[in-house]
Amino acid sequence: MLFLLPMAKAVSTSPQAQKHRGKPRKEGIIAEFSDKVGRSKAMVFTNYQGLTHHQLEGLKRAAKKADADFVVTKNTLLLRSLKDVTLSDEDKKNFEQPTATLFAYSDVVLPLKDLAKTIKDLKLPIIKFGILDGKVLSKTQVEKLATLPSLDVLRAQLLGQLNGPIQGLHRALQWNIQKFVMTLKAIEKNKVASN
């Protein structure tokens, strides 16, 4: 019995053909990262070496819950997507080692708290630097930013501060009315007792 198999198409292995095969994919990745850079309020660049796949996925899940993305990509593609951000030569040297980026979209502090918790537990990843509203932050500035209360906590504190004087005024006015009513009742009792 003879089986005939279809012949495979010849694939060009010339360097030019290989060069163009990945170009559209890379351009798509750059466009995706440029979109993330444009939408994010803050970015933190970390060296993720030493983290296991499971730990990286845990960081990604925690970031998603905090309306952020934790993404690993090639440094060259990341630098191309950061073309609108002014980086010094020293900042660009940070992209010589593997880089994972935390893109924070709404609340800047909440994803940083998750990252700081992971760093405290695992001693990894290592923060390289960050960008907040177009300004470059050092590693220590990023760590200090992670210690601030989250946006929800700050809003609650502000409302508590605003509500405090109003409640005090309410209590003061309520006490005067209550004192007035108690005085009227005492006068009424005296009149009933004297009759």
Side-chain angles (χ1 to χ4, degrees), residues 114-132:
D114 292 336
L115 182 64
K117 182 180 178 231
T118 303
I119 291 171
K120 184 179 177 184
D121 293 343
L122 305 173
K123 307 288 188 247
L124 291 170
I126 299 166
I127 295 175
K128 295 178 178 183
F129 69 101
I131 298 174
L132 175 65

Side-chain angles (χ1 to χ4, degrees), residues 48-150:
Y48 65 93
Q49 280 182 312
L51 289 175
T52 64
H53 176 75
H54 182 69
Q55 292 165 337
L56 276 172
E57 290 301 316
L59 269 171
K60 288 179 182 181
R61 278 192 299 276
K64 282 283 184 206
K65 289 178 185 174
D67 192 27
D69 284 325
F70 190 76
V71 184
V72 174
T73 188
K74 293 179 74 169
N75 289 332
T76 53
L77 300 178
L78 185 58
L79 280 171
R80 285 185 185 174
S81 65
L82 291 171
K83 65 183 178 290
D84 295 336
V85 179
T86 311
L87 294 174
S88 68
D89 290 335
E90 185 152 332
D91 293 331
K92 288 181 181 177
K93 285 182 183 177
N94 283 315
F95 291 102
E96 292 173 358
Q97 297 176 339
T99 304
T101 308
L102 178 70
F103 295 98
Y105 300 119
S106 57
D107 185 2
V108 174
V109 178
L110 192 58
L112 285 178
K113 285 190 174 295
D114 292 336
L115 182 64
K117 182 180 178 231
T118 303
I119 291 171
K120 184 179 177 184
D121 293 343
L122 305 173
K123 307 288 188 247
L124 291 170
I126 299 166
I127 295 175
K128 295 178 178 183
F129 69 101
I131 298 174
L132 175 65
D133 294 329
K135 296 179 182 153
V136 177
L137 302 175
S138 68
K139 175 183 177 179
T140 54
Q141 289 172 322
V142 171
E143 290 169 346
K144 283 183 183 178
L145 191 61
T147 62
L148 293 176
S150 69

Side-chain angles (χ1 to χ4, degrees), residues 27-57:
E27 287 173 353
I29 292 170
I30 293 170
E32 179 185 341
F33 278 115
S34 295
D35 177 57
K36 288 178 188 280
V37 168
R39 288 187 306 138
S40 65
K41 291 184 178 179
M43 294 174 278
V44 177
F45 304 97
T46 63
N47 182 345
Y48 65 93
Q49 280 182 312
L51 289 175
T52 64
H53 176 75
H54 182 69
Q55 292 165 337
L56 276 172
E57 290 301 316

